[in-house]
Amino acid sequence: MDNLFDIAHVDALERIKIEQDKIFLQQQKGRLGCLAGVDKTLTGKEKRARQRKMAGEKNKLAHVSH
């Protein structure tokens, strides 16, 4: 169960050319982590951007109709 979501290639360390990427992959082994905070932050930013865009479009339509 510990490696259930381990999706790297068996020879990933040989395939990876960038040393920093190798180190990152090695640090993931057995590490508990969660990206929910990052995703939640991004989702909030995207939602606010959509709301601003919709408000701008409504404003534009209001000025055109008058």
Side-chain angles (χ1 to χ4, degrees):
M1 288 298 282
D2 289 341
N3 294 325
L4 182 62
F5 294 106
D6 187 358
I7 58 171
H9 287 273
V10 174
D11 61 344
L13 291 175
E14 288 80 35
R15 289 177 171 217
I16 296 173
K17 304 282 188 251
I18 302 169
E19 190 61 32
Q20 188 176 4
D21 290 347
K22 286 183 183 182
I23 293 168
F24 177 79
L25 180 61
Q26 289 169 328
Q27 289 175 342
Q28 301 312 302
K29 192 73 169 166
R31 179 179 175 200
L32 296 177
C34 177
L35 292 176
V38 173
D39 294 341
K40 191 173 184 179
T41 301
L42 179 60
T43 301
K45 288 179 181 180
E46 290 173 342
K47 182 179 179 182
R48 287 189 297 278
R50 281 193 307 273
Q51 288 172 339
R52 283 192 298 269
K53 183 178 178 182
M54 288 175 58
E57 289 172 358
K58 286 181 183 177
N59 234 358
K60 204 182 287 186
L61 288 174
H63 288 309
V64 170
S65 64
H66 289 286

